[in-house]
Amino acid sequence: MKLTLRCKLPEQTFEVTTNLWVIVEWERKFKNKASRLADGVGVEDLAFMAWTAAKLNNIVVPGDFDTFLKKLLDSPEVISQEIENPTQGEPTED
């Protein structure tokens, strides 16, 4: 799953897109599986993914996750969501 997230901090607004590295880091921190994201994504989950993706893309954010959380003006906003490896439906007869 790829998410594009918009974050607003007092000094900047930025958009980032998650990738495999970001999801694995989320799994490690929260001791959870990415497949469970289909059941719902919490605000802390989105914030962690945005923070990790920002660092990966050389966007200057606080080095400590809790400091990043304190600076967020709102919850990270999901701009787009893309399911990786989507399955196609069965072909239909015309």
Side-chain angles (χ1 to χ4, degrees):
M1 173 189 310
K2 286 186 181 181
L3 299 174
T4 300
L5 305 167
R6 179 180 296 140
C7 293
K8 295 178 183 176
L9 299 172
E11 61 278 355
Q12 67 181 331
T13 297
F14 63 87
E15 291 182 12
V16 289
T17 301
T18 62
N19 62 17
L20 179 63
W21 174 256
V22 172
I23 301 301
V24 170
E25 285 293 297
W26 174 85
E27 286 182 333
R28 289 175 179 171
K29 173 157 176 71
F30 293 99
K31 311 278 190 267
N32 217 331
K33 296 194 180 290
S35 59
R36 292 208 170 151
L37 291 171
D39 296 334
V41 181
V43 173
E44 185 177 23
D45 300 322
L46 294 174
F48 182 80
M49 290 179 201
W51 177 69
T52 304
K55 293 189 310 176
L56 187 62
N57 287 286
N58 298 315
I59 297 170
V60 178
V61 292
D64 176 67
F65 178 57
D66 286 337
T67 302
F68 175 74
L69 278 176
K70 290 174 190 173
K71 288 188 165 217
L72 279 173
L73 299 176
D74 287 315
S75 301
E77 179 183 355
V78 178
I79 303 300
S80 70
Q81 178 178 345
E82 182 182 320
I83 299 171
E84 292 181 2
N85 302 323
T87 58
Q88 296 180 353
E90 285 188 41
T92 58
E93 291 183 32
D94 291 331

